[in-house]
């Protein structure tokens, strides 16, 4: 059973940084897809960053709104996913979720293609 546990959320002022972590367990695949999503009150869940890992490497994707500010990565053992968030803006305020799937249907930034989800961690950015 795949389990995902996020951590690292908090409150920061605009321009600050946070690093989110997602501890994953239960994976045995050589190829898989993981992503970070966020959902603000009254809004739909949106893809922030995704990574598709193959035996030969990984491909990263970012939403236009976070390109150049956020970086998705994973540790050498590939059991922890990170999201480094720099130059945070008030509009980045949301609950952030980690998600995983063996295959990302419709791409790594589309939430509907993911089977496993974490419980979320809140990020609040004040102006």
């Amino acid at each position: 059973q795949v389990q995902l546990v996020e951590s690292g959320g908090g409150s920061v002022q605009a321009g600050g940084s946070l690093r989110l972590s997602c501890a994953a367990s239960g994976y045995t695949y050589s190829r898989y897809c993981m992503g970070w999503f966020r959902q603000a009150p009254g809004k739909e869940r949106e893809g922030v960053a995704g990574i598709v890992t193959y035996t030969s490497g990984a491909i990263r994707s970012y939403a236009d709104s976070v390109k150049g500010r956020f970086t998705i990565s994973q540790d050498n053992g590939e059991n922890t996913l990170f999201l480094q968030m720099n130059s945070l803006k008030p509009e980045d305020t949301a609950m952030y979720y980690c998600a995983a799937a063996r295959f990302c249907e419709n791409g790594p930034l589309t939430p509907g293609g993911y089977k496993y989800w974490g419980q979320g961690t809140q990020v609040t950015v004040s102006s």
Side-chain angles (χ1 to χ4, degrees):
Q1 181 67 27
V2 176
Q3 292 185 325
L4 305 172
V5 180
E6 302 99 332
S7 61
S11 297
V12 296
Q13 290 189 332
S17 298
L18 283 174
R19 190 191 196 201
L20 305 184
S21 298
C22 173
S25 62
Y27 264 109
T28 59
Y29 313 133
S30 60
R31 179 194 183 280
Y32 54 89
C33 184
M34 295 190 76
W36 286 100
F37 295 81
R38 66 187 181 187
Q39 188 166 19
K43 295 187 178 181
E44 294 185 353
R45 189 168 296 189
E46 64 172 345
V48 174
I51 183 167
V52 181
T53 300
Y54 304 89
T55 54
S56 58
I59 298 176
R60 295 165 177 78
S61 303
Y62 297 95
D64 288 342
S65 59
V66 306
K67 281 181 181 177
R69 301 188 298 122
F70 290 11
T71 302
I72 188 171
S73 63
Q74 52 195 8
D75 68 9
N76 290 336
E78 300 180 1
N79 60 355
T80 303
L81 185 72
F82 302 103
L83 184 68
Q84 178 67 43
M85 305 186 295
N86 298 329
S87 301
L88 283 162
K89 304 175 181 180
E91 51 263 44
D92 294 319
T93 295
M95 185 71 79
Y96 282 71
Y97 298 90
C98 171
R102 185 168 184 185
F103 301 104
C104 290
E105 297 182 3
N106 302 316
L109 298 183
T110 302
Y114 285 84
K115 182 176 181 180
Y116 305 104
W117 291 85
Q119 81 289 349
T121 185
Q122 178 68 37
V123 172
T124 303
V125 184
S126 58
S127 58

